[in-house]
Amino acid sequence: MLPLDGIKVLDVSQIMAGPYCTMVLGDMGAEVIKVEKANGGDDSRQMGPYVEDESTCFAQINRNKKSISLNLKEEKGREVFYRLAKEADVVVENYRPGVTQSLKIDYDSLKAINPGLIYCSISGYGQTGPSRHKGGFDLVAQGMSGLMSMTGEPGRRPLKTGVAVYDIGAGLTAIYSILAAYIHRQRSGEGQHLDIAIAECGLPWFTWEAGAYFSEGRVPEATGWRHRVSAPYQAMRVRDGYMMLGCANQRTWERFCEDVIERPELMVDERFKTNLDRGANVEALEAILEDILGQQDRAYWLDRCDAAGVPAGPINDFDQAMHDEHYLAREMVLEVDHPTMGRMKTLGFPSKFSATPLAIRQPAPLFAQHTDEVLGEIGLAADEIEALRQQGAVR
């Protein structure tokens, strides 16, 4: 048994936010039927790099799903979708607001067929508000929400994050919202419409920044490699590069001074006695510490930090991260057999379940790989499926 065994999800989303959501639901055991458009399917199938003409981007985010292709602009294609929706627990879509109404697959249309349906819409700006009709992208959301003004070095060009944090954040928001709605339905029998906006999903993450802003009007600015509140809690230069150092409280700072760098006099220096003092004098503190840390390589300091119980770590590139012994021991790199690409590596599961461990049950599907199988399961005979294919309703 997997946690979501028995739950059926119709995935009418593409690219990243929606597919990430449905991938995790699939990892947890849900049956995910990916409904792809007839002219090429999910747009990420056309995003390289490729192995044997299959997109590796698509393959990484669409495991544990079945692929069918329906032409939702045609009545016959919609009729098939309605039959699937009648038996589904969840629908996930990421069209611009208004498109599902024009296709007649919006929440109100499907609710009439399946009153208990949980219908999750992921869009750039949500289903309401003055920007609802705009196309929304992760990069635009990072700018709009203020994130980019906080990212990068002070006085330099604003920087985006290294990954599509808002797309993934919207997918994560959709996951916990769907699960909460499912619990509500278990208690009440009532389905509902979930409205998730990429542009706002990250705002609740700015908890400390919001505290300072709402209480004092302080607008957070870019802090570069330093932390906004704690010091030293940042990247530090060592002899052979950089390391991360996390003295997030007074006791950790004291252990660092006494046991790691053996400079106890820094603890009583008026500039560095408290966290507030260290934050106010972070440039002077950084210069002193980097002069000390620059005398030895990173491995030396990391060993000393570990021995003293001071949080510290390397600044890895992605290749180094994927070979880190801890990640490998925690099975954060897995392998799966793909029908075209062969044996491929993929990222593992960050949630470790003691009773219902997650599993990759199948690799990302080929385009329309499961059309006949899925439509057969809802009662369509082979000749009916072929007739729909000839009419252009399915692929």
Side-chain angles (χ1 to χ4, degrees):
M1 288 285 292
L2 288 167
L4 300 185
D5 270 345
I7 294 178
K8 181 174 288 188
V9 178
L10 291 185
D11 179 7
V12 202
S13 67
Q14 61 172 353
I15 308 294
M16 184 170 287
Y20 185 85
C21 164
T22 55
M23 178 190 73
V24 175
L25 296 177
D27 289 347
M28 292 183 176
E31 179 186 5
V32 179
I33 299 171
K34 187 174 181 68
V35 182
E36 301 192 61
K37 58 189 179 183
N39 58 338
D42 187 324
D43 283 347
S44 67
R45 288 188 181 275
Q46 280 70 58
M47 297 177 181
Y50 303 93
V51 174
E52 300 295 334
D53 296 325
E54 289 290 325
S55 166
T56 58
C57 295
F58 178 89
Q60 286 294 330
I61 203 169
N62 286 284
R63 67 191 181 204
N64 287 331
K65 302 178 187 179
K66 299 176 181 178
S67 170
I68 69 172
S69 178
L70 300 179
N71 186 349
L72 297 175
K73 296 180 179 179
E74 297 291 335
E75 183 177 353
K76 292 293 185 181
R78 285 196 298 273
E79 288 177 358
V80 174
F81 186 80
Y82 293 155
R83 291 180 66 167
L84 291 168
K86 187 175 182 179
E87 298 183 4
D89 298 288
V90 179
V91 168
V92 177
E93 61 91 6
N94 66 346
Y95 289 103
R96 286 196 194 189
V99 173
T100 55
Q101 286 90 338
S102 66
L103 292 174
K104 300 178 183 178
I105 61 166
D106 57 292
Y107 174 62
D108 288 337
S109 297
L110 299 187
K111 180 182 179 182
I113 300 169
N114 182 353
L117 184 67
I118 298 164
Y119 188 105
C120 181
S121 296
I122 304 174
S123 62
Y125 298 90
Q127 303 298 305
T128 61
S131 296
R132 63 186 291 269
H133 292 296
K134 293 182 180 180
F137 296 92
D138 176 272
L139 185 67
V140 177
Q142 290 191 38
M144 179 181 178
S145 66
L147 178 64
M148 286 182 66
S149 73
M150 308 175 202
T151 305
E153 299 179 13
R156 302 289 296 275
R157 178 181 295 188
L159 297 178
K160 69 178 185 65
T161 61
V163 297
V165 61
Y166 273 26
D167 275 342
I168 298 299
L172 292 170
T173 304
I175 293 163
Y176 68 66
S177 300
I178 288 168
L179 296 179
Y182 184 76
I183 293 171
H184 172 74
R185 194 187 75 177
Q186 293 292 89
R187 295 171 174 171
S188 68
E190 179 185 35
Q192 59 185 301
H193 186 195
L194 306 175
D195 176 7
I196 310 297
I198 292 171
E200 64 194 35
C201 70
L203 283 177
W205 304 341
F206 304 156
T207 50
W208 285 7
E209 291 76 13
Y213 174 73
F214 288 133
S215 63
E216 300 177 350
R218 192 190 315 164
V219 178
E221 299 176 347
T223 58
W225 55 90
R226 298 169 182 150
H227 191 264
R228 198 174 313 285
V229 177
S230 301
Y233 194 83
Q234 61 185 82
M236 301 294 297
R237 187 190 297 274
V238 295
R239 188 165 64 186
D240 60 345
Y242 292 88
M243 61 178 271
M244 294 304 294
L245 175 65
C247 296
N249 57 55
Q250 189 66 18
R251 182 62 191 128
T252 304
W253 162 246
E254 292 170 358
R255 286 201 300 267
F256 177 73
C257 292
E258 290 179 327
D259 301 329
V260 178
I261 60 174
E262 298 179 353
R263 293 288 297 273
E265 67 273 15
L266 293 177
M267 294 187 298
V268 295
D269 189 311
E270 293 295 331
R271 297 171 297 172
F272 312 135
K273 288 183 94 172
T274 70
N275 190 56
L276 285 176
D277 296 330
R278 294 190 292 277
N281 297 284
V282 66
E283 291 190 7
L285 176 63
E286 183 179 290
I288 292 171
L289 295 184
E290 288 194 340
D291 183 61
I292 298 168
L293 296 172
Q295 298 172 27
Q296 297 287 347
D297 290 345
R298 182 176 70 178
Y300 172 85
W301 293 118
L302 291 182
D303 285 344
R304 290 185 68 86
C305 284
D306 286 347
V310 173
I315 300 177
N316 289 330
D317 63 24
F318 192 65
D319 178 63
Q320 291 169 325
M322 291 298 93
H323 288 88
D324 187 287
E325 62 179 7
H326 181 78
Y327 287 144
L328 295 177
R330 295 277 293 172
E331 298 185 324
M332 287 307 298
V333 178
L334 299 175
E335 293 188 353
V336 61
D337 290 315
H338 187 276
T340 300
M341 293 190 283
R343 192 74 172 170
M344 60 171 281
K345 290 185 177 181
T346 189
L347 298 173
F349 313 111
S351 300
K352 317 297 186 187
F353 289 72
S354 63
T356 55
L358 309 188
I360 300 178
R361 304 184 308 286
Q362 58 190 43
L366 303 177
F367 177 53
Q369 178 181 346
H370 302 96
T371 297
D372 288 28
E373 174 189 332
V374 170
L375 299 193
E377 289 174 352
I378 60 171
L380 290 175
D383 58 340
E384 293 178 285
I385 298 171
E386 185 56 33
L388 289 169
R389 189 169 281 121
Q390 294 301 319
Q391 295 166 8
V394 306
R395 284 287 299 272

